[in-house]
Amino acid sequence: MGRRKSAISGQLADMDLRLLKVFKAVVECGGFTPAEIHLNLANSTISNYISDLEKRLDMRLCERGRAGFAVTEQGQTVYNATLELLSALDQFKNTINQSHNRILGSLHLGFAEHMLGAHNSSILQALSRFSNKAPEVRIQISTMSSDDVITALLNNQVDIGITVTSQPYPELTDIKLFDEEMLLYCAQDHPLFNKDEVTAAELRQYRFVESPRLMPGREIHPDMMLWNKQAIAHHQEARATLILSGHYLGFLPRHLVSNWRLEKALRPLLADQYGYTNTFKALWRNRQHKRLIIQLFTECLDESAV
C-alpha cells in the first residue's frame, strides 16, 4: 500500500488562510452560533467554510450537533498551527513595516462593556491619533465583561485590553487611563427607594445582584460578605435590568445611570459607605510580532490620557 498523500502538497492560497481564520474564530468563540456575530457570517456559511477546510486538510476538525460543539484532537493541532502561522505572518508584516517605515497589519482591542462616556474621551482621542498615524492598520474592537478582557489577553485573543483589574498580572504591561465611580442602587419599586434613612443593617434583609467586585474574596467592604446575593449579572445591562425589577440591589457606574437617563428610576444607597472607584487600565502583552502596532497605540493612549 502506498503512502497516504499529504493534505497540503502545494502552496497555501488566500482562501486557505480565510478558512483557517474562520476555524480559529469558531474555536475561540466556542461554536458556530457564537461565532456568527464575531465573523459577521451566517451559521450555514460558517458550516460550509469548516466543511471545505476539513475536505482540504482531510481531517475531522470538530464535532457539532445535538451533543454540542467540541474540537477534535486533529482540530486542536490545526488550531495551534494556525496560531503559529498567523503569528509568523504578523512578524513578516512587522519586518516589512520597519523596512518601509509603514505600519501594516491588524490591531484587536478588547474593551470592557459600557465604558465609553464623557469621562474617558481619551480612548476616542487615542483612536483618532492612531488612525492618523497608521491608516492602513485594520482595527477590530470587541466588547466583553471586565474579567473576559483579561482572559482574552492572556489567551492572545486580543492585542490590547482596556478594563478594570482586581489583581496585578506580572505578564502584562499596563498604563492607567481613568476612574469610574460605582454606587449601590435600588429602583422605584424597591422598599428602600422612598425610605428617608437607610442603615447598613437593613440591607441584609434584601437580595443583591452579584457583580465582579461582590464575588467571594473580591469584596471591598466587610459588610458585603454578609449580603444575600441571589442573582448573578456580571454584565452591566443585565445587572441594571435586575435592579430595575425592584427586587434586587446592585452596583452600577454613576455615568452609566446618567447616560441611560435613569436618575429618577434609580436611587443610590449609602454612597459614602459602599461607593467605590474602578480604575481602568490599558493592558497588553509584549508580543514581538506586533510590537510596532501595540507600541504606537499605547503611546497614543498615553498621550491622550494626559
Side-chain angles (χ1 to χ4, degrees):
M1 183 180 294
R3 178 181 294 182
R4 185 177 181 181
K5 184 179 179 182
S6 174
I8 297 181
S9 56
Q11 296 180 342
L12 282 173
D14 289 343
M15 189 59 190
D16 293 317
L17 291 176
R18 173 151 179 81
L19 295 178
L20 289 170
K21 289 178 180 179
V22 169
F23 176 63
K24 173 179 176 290
V26 169
V27 172
E28 292 176 353
C29 291
F32 291 11
T33 300
E36 288 182 22
I37 296 177
H38 178 81
L39 293 170
N40 194 27
L41 294 174
N43 193 298
S44 57
T45 302
I46 296 174
S47 179
N48 289 336
Y49 280 166
I50 298 302
S51 295
D52 289 346
L53 181 61
E54 288 179 326
K55 292 176 183 176
R56 177 80 172 94
L57 299 177
D58 193 20
M59 292 179 174
R60 181 70 172 175
L61 301 179
C62 54
E63 303 295 342
R64 55 271 198 191
R66 293 183 179 179
F69 175 84
V71 181
T72 65
E73 290 187 12
Q74 289 184 323
Q76 188 62 48
T77 299
V78 172
Y79 172 75
N80 293 337
T82 299
L83 294 181
E84 294 178 5
L85 172 63
L86 297 179
S87 177
L89 288 174
D90 282 335
Q91 181 63 54
F92 173 80
K93 291 176 183 177
N94 189 59
T95 302
I96 299 302
N97 290 344
Q98 292 176 318
S99 300
H100 291 278
N101 199 27
R102 295 170 61 201
I103 299 181
L104 308 171
S106 63
L107 176 65
H108 192 172
L109 304 171
F111 285 178
E113 55 168 348
H114 300 306
M115 68 175 194
L116 290 179
H119 66 292
N120 61 312
S121 59
S122 59
I123 296 174
L124 303 180
Q125 294 173 17
L127 283 168
S128 177
R129 281 192 171 108
F130 180 81
S131 296
N132 287 330
K133 294 179 179 180
E136 295 177 271
V137 172
R138 180 176 177 268
I139 298 176
Q140 178 180 348
I141 297 178
S142 299
T143 58
M144 55 196 81
S145 71
S146 295
D147 288 347
D148 287 343
V149 173
I150 298 298
T151 301
L153 272 171
L154 296 176
N155 291 337
N156 293 323
Q157 293 171 348
V158 300
D159 302 312
I160 299 174
I162 298 179
T163 187
V164 176
T165 59
S166 58
Q167 66 185 68
Y169 292 89
E171 59 269 68
L172 301 178
T173 305
D174 65 76
I175 54 174
K176 177 182 175 180
L177 297 179
F178 53 85
D179 292 329
E180 172 186 75
E181 185 180 8
M182 300 291 292
L183 296 176
L184 180 65
Y185 285 97
C186 71
Q188 284 178 324
D189 293 334
H190 195 278
L192 296 179
F193 189 84
N194 293 313
K195 199 170 186 303
D196 292 335
E197 294 185 11
V198 178
T199 66
E202 285 181 280
L203 296 182
R204 299 178 194 173
Q205 304 174 29
Y206 299 99
R207 293 181 290 178
F208 285 78
V209 185
E210 181 188 271
S211 51
R213 295 300 290 272
L214 288 183
M215 294 174 63
R218 292 189 180 183
E219 301 94 339
I220 59 171
H221 192 287
D223 290 354
M224 296 176 181
M225 292 185 283
L226 304 175
W227 289 353
N228 182 19
K229 289 162 272 189
Q230 287 198 353
I232 298 175
H234 291 185
H235 288 271
Q236 292 171 352
E237 188 171 359
R239 196 182 319 142
T241 300
L242 286 167
I243 296 169
L244 287 167
S245 74
H247 290 274
Y248 300 92
L249 305 174
F251 283 98
L252 291 171
R254 181 196 286 270
H255 79 89
L256 191 60
V257 172
S258 176
N259 289 348
W260 285 347
R261 299 181 180 179
L262 294 174
E263 296 99 325
K264 294 183 179 180
L266 294 173
R267 173 192 173 186
L269 301 174
L270 300 171
D272 292 339
Q273 189 167 350
Y274 298 122
Y276 64 92
T277 299
N278 279 330
T279 297
F280 277 83
K281 297 179 180 180
L283 304 101
W284 65 94
R285 302 186 81 157
N286 293 316
R287 304 173 68 188
Q288 183 62 29
H289 65 283
K290 285 196 174 183
R291 182 180 60 81
L292 284 178
I293 293 176
I294 292 175
Q295 180 179 339
L296 178 59
F297 189 81
T298 53
E299 287 174 354
C300 292
L301 277 173
D302 201 24
E303 293 169 4
S304 302
V306 175

